[in-house]
Amino acid sequence: MTTTSEIRTAQLAAIDESGWGLPFRFVQPRNLAFWVYLVGVGGGALTIVRYFGPGAHFYGPALTGGVLLFGLYLVPWLLLLRHHNRYTAQPAALLAAAFAWGGVAAPFWIALPANTALLEIWAKVGGTAFASDWAAGLTAPINEEFAKALGLVLLIGLAPRLVRSAYDGFIIGAFLGLGFQVFEDVLYVYNGAAQTFGTSQIASSFQIFLIRGVTGIVSHALFSAIFCAGLMWVLGRTPGDRHVPRGVLTMLTAMVFHFAWDDMGGLSGGVAILPVLLPLVIAAVELVTLFAVLRRAASQERIWIRQILGPEVDGGVVDAALLSAVSGLRKDRKAFRKLVGNKSRARHLQEAAADLARETARARGHETAEVAHARAELLRLRGVQPVV
């Protein structure tokens, strides 16, 4: 039988291991990771100015349209990622730093020059036909995935106590990939306008937005989420979470997916039906893999949530069904909704329990006014009278 003392010890250990509730401090002049981050983003920003600057006036409509359209495209992505950042949630400032690295440094400081150089090598080694079919897929998965993942490594250096689990890698990787994806899409809009010498810029922008928007569902955000979860398994930053074979296999899987999208023409082999069928098959496999990685990566986070709320369960504030819902999988939340009999009330109870866990983590396990308020709110929603 678990004692109250053991439950309390587990709670404090979970708070410490997860780093949940700790603030993110970006400016760290004595930290090398801070300066590498600044150099990367600064170098990427300079490349952006040099790339877009000369034609910005002439291709202004396309550039403006691309920024606005893909800016709106960000909204559902951010809402989705906010939903998944619900366990031991990462601070918004850290995720914004990930997005900035993925959008500015990874594509423009690293990938753009590296891709150009490696594409030329493939053309010289394999010839024009080989390069046309395979060069993109043999180039981008290497340069781009590692360029984005470097952002995760730098954020570990900036916030070693915050970035701990494979799930942290998954969420941060998604933001790194999303940044890369949005900035790359704007680049595609600009290049499309340049290729047509500035004719029908708005129509061209909208066409690229539709194509890239649909394919973007299974693009960089997905690749990087999987890749960075794998990298965190390789690094093993929490006790018992290191699993090098699983991590390497996960990283390679993300690179294979990236290869498949970039070399769809080569994989189709000229068969008429394959260019239509292959994207559907690859997308289905990617999504199944994504959810499998997500479920496995979140296992440690779910343990931490249960341990953080352990004393509240012991004290009768959180019951077993609610604990399962707030720390469990979709089936657990579905079972809880069925038990409560009211979808809205079930959601409010889960949010209140999550708020209590978050305030407890922020207080480092101490009793504060915020913790007491969150507890009282949860008891009110449950219809339970607090013990005085």
Side-chain angles (χ1 to χ4, degrees), residues 28 69 108 110-111 117-118 152 160 175 186 199 205 208 228 316:
Q28 301 179 39
L69 287 170
F108 293 99
I110 300 176
L118 194 51
L152 174 62
F175 273 89
V186 173
T199 60
S205 300
I208 292 173
C228 289

Side-chain angles (χ1 to χ4, degrees), residues 91-352:
L94 187 148
L95 298 177
F99 182 87
W101 178 271
V104 179
F108 293 99
W109 187 53
I110 300 176
L112 192 60
N115 285 353
T116 301
L118 194 51
L119 285 170
E120 291 178 358
I121 291 174
W122 289 124
K124 291 177 181 179
V125 170
T128 304
F130 174 83
S132 177
D133 286 339
W134 305 108
L138 294 173
T139 299
I142 299 172
N143 295 334
E144 294 176 6
E145 293 311 319
F146 281 97
K148 290 177 286 182
L150 178 57
L152 174 62
V153 174
L154 292 174
L155 289 173
I156 292 174
L158 288 170
R161 295 189 64 191
L162 280 169
V163 187
R164 300 298 299 274
S165 69
Y167 194 78
D168 293 334
F170 185 94
I171 294 296
I172 292 170
F175 273 89
L176 288 163
L178 184 60
F180 195 106
Q181 187 171 313
V182 169
F183 277 73
E184 184 183 59
D185 288 341
V186 173
L187 179 64
Y188 269 81
V189 169
Y190 181 87
N191 288 342
Q195 289 171 2
T196 58
F197 305 101
T199 60
S200 304
Q201 293 189 38
I202 300 300
S204 174
S205 300
F206 192 72
Q207 182 181 16
I208 292 173
F209 167 73
L210 291 176
I211 295 172
R212 300 286 298 181
V214 171
T215 58
I217 297 171
V218 285
S219 184
H220 282 286
L222 181 148
F223 303 152
S224 295
I226 295 174
F227 189 93
C228 289
L231 178 57
M232 291 301 290
W233 276 320
V234 171
L235 297 176
R237 292 185 46 75
T238 59
D241 202 37
R242 191 177 192 210
H243 198 300
V244 175
R246 181 199 299 143
V248 171
L249 179 62
T250 304
M251 294 166 70
L252 290 175
T253 299
M255 295 174 73
V256 168
F257 288 154
H258 198 156
F259 162 82
W261 276 108
D262 283 4
D263 279 349
M264 198 76 69
L267 291 172
S268 65
V271 180
I273 189 64
L274 286 183
V276 177
L277 186 61
L278 264 180
L280 299 176
V281 173
I282 293 172
V285 173
E286 284 186 10
L287 289 173
V288 170
T289 304
L290 176 76
F291 288 112
V293 171
L294 172 63
R295 180 170 180 165
R296 184 65 185 84
S299 60
Q300 179 60 63
E301 302 281 327
R302 296 196 297 270
I303 292 171
W304 282 334
I305 291 287
R306 289 194 291 271
Q307 290 174 334
I308 290 171
L309 288 175
E312 305 296 341
V313 176
D314 192 46
V317 177
V318 177
D319 61 20
L322 178 55
L323 181 65
S324 294
V326 79
S327 65
L329 303 170
R330 183 180 178 183
K331 64 180 180 63
D332 300 303
R333 295 188 291 275
K334 185 177 179 181
F336 183 69
R337 287 196 300 269
K338 185 177 180 180
L339 178 66
V340 172
N342 184 298
K343 184 176 180 180
S344 178
R345 183 167 182 268
R347 186 181 69 253
H348 289 152
L349 285 167
Q350 290 174 67
E351 290 173 351

Side-chain angles (χ1 to χ4, degrees), residues 347-382:
R347 186 181 69 253
H348 289 152
L349 285 167
Q350 290 174 67
E351 290 173 351
D355 288 343
L356 177 56
R358 181 177 61 253
E359 293 301 338
T360 301
R362 285 177 177 173
R364 316 311 296 162
H366 298 294
E367 186 67 22
T368 64
E370 290 76 14
V371 172
H373 174 76
R375 184 184 296 115
E377 181 63 13
L378 176 55
L379 289 170
R380 183 188 68 80
L381 288 172
R382 288 189 60 205

Side-chain angles (χ1 to χ4, degrees), residues 69-112:
L69 287 170
F70 286 105
L72 292 173
Y73 182 69
L74 264 178
V75 175
W77 274 102
L78 294 176
L79 292 174
L80 175 65
L81 292 176
R82 180 178 179 272
H83 168 72
H84 282 292
N85 188 34
R86 66 179 180 272
Y87 291 119
T88 60
Q90 291 294 334
L94 187 148
L95 298 177
F99 182 87
W101 178 271
V104 179
F108 293 99
W109 187 53
I110 300 176
L112 192 60

